[in-house]
């Protein structure tokens, strides 16, 4: 559970970040990290369009540079954009200066006030800097669709087992995840709809 649903102490570490939305509202926030890439993002968009659902895509700036048409499609279809740094860099391996530069470099392509640190980790100084300029969005449920140790059934189970009112659910439109998403994503959406959840994006 430590991995799929962050521990309380981790939420306390970054108190201004969004971990979970209104727990009184039967709604969830689907998010997708690490794209856009042609091998995964179009499939995700097709599934979301089939169900009439909007999501938030935390994009890597360099991927947008390489595949601008995918960024434009995500925007045109009414989804929200978030910043996931330009090169998917780890906060712990970089100075505040280098980290902030990488985020701003990405934002020249992304034009958003939302940011999610890769791996969910950042130095406190980096967090303080991000919080002044951006809305930091973490997660309440991480599906672990990227794990080579998990199957599509495991990913679907994580959604069913850990989702609750206001959950921010994290998938990945990436090479590591796409084969599992082909069955787990529509299954998860249908289950969430069946449970009466609305799908929302961030303001």
């Amino acid at each position: 559970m430590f991995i799929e649903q962050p521990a309380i102490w981790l939420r306390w570490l970054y108190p201004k970040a969004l971990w979970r939305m209104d727990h009184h509202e039967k709604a969830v926030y689907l998010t997708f990290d690490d794209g856009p890439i042609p091998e995964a993002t179009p499939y995700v968009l097709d599934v979301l369009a089939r169900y009439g659902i909007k999501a938030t895509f935390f994009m890597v700036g360099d991927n947008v540079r390489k595949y601008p048409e995918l960024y434009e499609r995500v925007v045109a279809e009414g989804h929200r954009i978030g910043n996931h740094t330009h090169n998917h860099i780890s906060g712990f391996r970089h100075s505040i200066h280098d980290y902030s530069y990488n985020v701003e470099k990405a934002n020249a392509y992304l034009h958003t006030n939302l940011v999610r640190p890769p791996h969910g980790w950042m130095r406190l100084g980096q967090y303080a800097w991000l919080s002044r300029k951006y809305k930091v969005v973490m997660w309440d449920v991480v599906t672990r669709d990227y794990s080579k140790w998990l199957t599509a059934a495991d990913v679907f189970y994580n959604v069913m087992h850990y989702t609750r009112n206001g959950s921010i659910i994290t998938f990945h439109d990436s090479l590591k995840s796409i084969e599992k998403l082909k069955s787990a994503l529509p299954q998860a959406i249908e289950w969430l709809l069946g449970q009466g959840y609305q799908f929302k994006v961030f303001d």
Side-chain angles (χ1 to χ4, degrees):
M1 184 170 177
F2 174 78
I3 297 176
E4 287 84 0
Q5 206 156 51
I8 292 295
W9 68 263
L10 188 57
R11 298 172 190 243
W12 287 342
L13 193 60
Y14 310 121
K16 293 182 181 178
L18 297 179
W19 292 92
R20 181 186 179 191
M21 304 303 282
D22 187 354
H23 64 276
H24 296 297
E25 185 176 29
K26 193 132 179 115
V28 294
Y29 294 70
L30 293 189
T31 67
F32 295 86
D33 289 3
D34 298 354
I37 59 168
E39 297 87 350
T41 308
Y43 172 79
V44 171
L45 290 172
D46 289 346
V47 171
L48 294 174
R50 187 190 318 159
Y51 292 98
I53 289 169
K54 304 304 180 190
T56 303
F57 288 77
F58 287 91
M59 295 183 172
V60 173
D62 196 47
N63 285 344
V64 174
R65 179 190 64 80
K66 290 185 285 189
Y67 310 112
E69 70 285 354
L70 290 179
Y71 167 83
E72 295 295 344
R73 181 181 169 188
V74 173
V75 172
E77 294 187 11
H79 301 288
R80 191 78 159 85
I81 302 296
N83 188 322
H84 206 43
T85 75
H86 193 71
N87 302 104
H88 201 267
I89 64 172
S90 168
F92 284 170
R93 296 180 181 177
H94 294 82
S95 67
I96 294 175
H97 177 270
D98 290 346
Y99 192 80
S100 60
Y101 174 79
N102 204 262
V103 170
E104 294 292 84
K105 186 176 181 180
N107 222 42
Y109 295 94
L110 298 168
H111 314 293
T112 179
N113 68 327
L114 303 179
V115 67
R116 172 177 283 166
H119 315 296
W121 291 98
M122 56 198 143
R123 297 176 187 270
L124 291 180
Q126 294 162 346
Y127 164 67
W129 177 83
L130 287 175
S131 297
R132 288 195 295 269
K133 297 197 66 175
Y134 297 91
K135 186 180 294 185
V136 180
V137 181
M138 303 298 259
W139 57 80
D140 185 53
V141 180
V142 58
T143 63
R144 290 211 289 150
D145 51 358
Y146 53 81
S147 174
K148 65 180 180 180
W149 307 112
L150 268 61
T151 65
D154 295 325
V155 172
F156 178 41
Y157 171 83
N158 284 340
V159 174
M160 291 191 297
H161 188 69
Y162 294 105
T163 298
R164 52 191 176 172
N165 287 1
S167 282
I168 300 170
I169 303 172
T170 298
F171 292 96
H172 297 76
D173 51 331
S174 68
L175 291 175
K176 291 180 180 178
S177 302
I178 186 57
E179 288 306 315
K180 281 166 271 191
L181 287 189
K182 287 178 180 178
S183 58
L185 181 58
Q187 278 185 308
I189 289 173
E190 289 183 9
W191 182 84
L192 290 164
L193 287 170
Q195 296 298 306
Y197 285 104
Q198 299 178 57
F199 292 82
K200 292 195 166 186
V201 295
F202 307 98
D203 295 331

